[in-house]
Amino acid sequence: LHVRSKEFVLYQSLLFKKGERFDSVKISESERLIRSNRSIRRVDIKGELVGNDSVDLYVNSIDSWSMFVTGSLSSSKAGIRIRERNFLGMGHVFDNRYRHNYQTGQSLYQFDYSVPNIAQTRVTGNVNYYKDENEYYRKSVSFIRPFYSPLAHYAGGVAVGEVFFRDSLDFNKPVLVNNNFKYIYQDYWVAKAFKLNLNNNQITNLIVSGRYYNRDYSERPTIENDPVNFFSNQTNYMVGVGISTKQYIKTKNIYNFEIEEDIATGKSFGLIGSKQRIRQ
């Protein structure tokens, strides 16, 4: 039931390449990035001198058990959930969930699939679909490149999706009338980090960022139910600037038992400005 991690899963997390000058910070950050993959239980990168001008690096790792199956059963519902954090040894993550209410005949279904580090770009692709027993649903596609390390120079993301649900706006009425909400959103952001200082593995960055978020409703309450037009089409623009100082401490027994963990410590300070444009 368990497929061992492919070598490329480890290679794509390394911050160094063959022929580069040895950098202990990149070595420790590469170990941390591999450990952040929940499918890897332990990793150790060791160097061995070759002649007087070269070092061979050996990456040793131990896989974690990656598949989790849970279920539930009651007088009205039965469900099952399957999560796999290292699909076919490729580091892909999927989360499937199904629950059926045999009193109402309605079902809940969830599908979530992520591909980390697409083509070694540090971009994670995700497809998500969720529908509950009330026929509310959420579906989205996203591509996100986070600041995976304090050594990363830039980050960004693109996400599009559609959301549908029903809700009441006036809880004072004895009979609640549900309104339909359905909208499509677009979310784009980008950020750039400028390294200011590196001292004892503590890295300080100046980060600037910008974001564009747009939401368009195809179904929303009438003017009688929403007289202030709170649920209106909107476009948001955001910019930010900040300073972040961060380092990681390797320890154990914080979130997991006897598994090496990396705890982030540091400080951050930022300013965010935004503008919202309301459209009818």
Side-chain angles (χ1 to χ4, degrees):
L1 292 177
H2 178 77
V3 180
R4 291 180 59 185
S5 295
K6 309 297 184 184
E7 284 193 0
F8 77 85
V9 175
L10 301 177
Y11 274 115
Q12 66 186 6
S13 295
L14 301 180
L15 298 179
F16 52 85
K17 297 179 181 180
K18 182 179 179 179
E20 289 185 347
R21 183 180 297 273
F22 182 88
D23 188 330
S24 61
V25 175
K26 287 186 177 181
I27 302 299
S28 60
E29 270 297 286
S30 296
E31 281 190 346
R32 185 190 65 80
L33 287 175
I34 296 174
R35 278 194 299 269
S36 67
N37 184 341
R38 296 296 300 276
S39 64
I40 304 295
R41 179 181 179 86
R42 186 175 301 167
V43 63
D44 188 27
I45 301 179
K46 293 293 185 181
E48 183 178 294
L49 288 175
V50 179
N52 56 10
D53 64 349
S54 298
V55 176
D56 281 347
L57 294 173
Y58 295 87
V59 181
N60 303 300
S61 68
I62 299 176
D63 277 10
S64 292
W65 180 257
S66 57
M67 180 180 290
F68 298 86
V69 180
T70 56
S72 62
L73 179 65
S74 70
S75 61
S76 60
K77 300 177 183 179
I80 187 172
R81 183 176 185 180
I82 302 175
R83 289 172 287 174
E84 170 60 63
R85 299 190 300 208
N86 192 13
F87 184 59
L88 297 180
M90 299 186 297
H92 297 186
V93 181
F94 74 77
D95 187 352
N96 281 348
R97 182 183 176 193
Y98 177 80
R99 187 178 69 196
H100 182 70
N101 187 323
Y102 35 80
Q103 290 186 344
T104 65
Q106 301 295 319
S107 298
L108 175 150
Y109 179 69
Q110 172 184 303
F111 172 81
D112 188 278
Y113 196 95
S114 296
V115 180
N117 206 354
I118 299 174
Q120 299 187 12
T121 60
R122 309 287 176 179
V123 174
T124 295
N126 176 265
V127 177
N128 178 274
Y129 177 78
Y130 174 85
K131 180 184 73 69
D132 69 8
E133 298 167 15
N134 296 311
E135 300 296 326
Y136 305 166
Y137 65 80
R138 178 181 66 251
K139 47 188 176 181
S140 64
V141 177
S142 65
F143 296 91
I144 297 176
R145 187 185 197 271
F147 280 120
Y148 56 90
S149 166
L151 297 175
H153 297 295
Y154 62 93
V158 176
V160 294
E162 184 179 63
V163 177
F164 172 78
F165 64 97
R166 298 184 184 91
D167 200 1
S168 174
L169 299 179
D170 191 349
F171 294 96
N172 295 320
K173 292 182 178 180
V175 178
L176 301 180
V177 178
N178 283 337
N179 299 271
N180 285 353
F181 297 84
K182 185 177 181 181
Y183 62 86
I184 295 176
Y185 68 88
Q186 303 174 60
D187 193 358
Y188 309 94
W189 64 276
V190 64
K192 171 72 175 176
F194 302 89
K195 186 165 68 176
L196 300 180
N197 186 37
L198 171 57
N199 183 23
N200 296 326
N201 291 334
Q202 188 175 71
I203 302 174
T204 301
N205 286 316
L206 171 68
I207 300 174
V208 295
S209 60
R211 182 182 181 188
Y212 169 88
Y213 178 84
N214 185 77
R215 176 182 293 186
D216 287 313
Y217 284 91
S218 57
E219 295 184 41
R220 55 180 173 173
T222 62
I223 191 65
E224 292 79 14
N225 291 332
D226 184 18
V228 298
N229 201 27
F230 183 82
F231 297 95
S232 58
N233 298 330
Q234 57 182 268
T235 302
N236 299 274
Y237 307 91
M238 284 165 274
V239 294
V241 60
I243 295 178
S244 171
T245 299
K246 181 183 292 186
Q247 71 178 117
Y248 292 89
I249 299 174
K250 187 165 69 172
T251 184
K252 291 183 179 180
N253 300 321
I254 303 297
Y255 298 108
N256 298 282
F257 179 70
E258 285 300 309
I259 296 178
E260 290 183 343
E261 304 170 279
D262 299 279
I263 307 301
T265 66
K267 302 175 184 178
S268 64
F269 173 79
L271 295 174
I272 299 176
S274 63
K275 179 180 180 181
Q276 184 180 69
R277 183 166 65 93
I278 301 299
R279 297 174 285 108
Q280 300 299 323

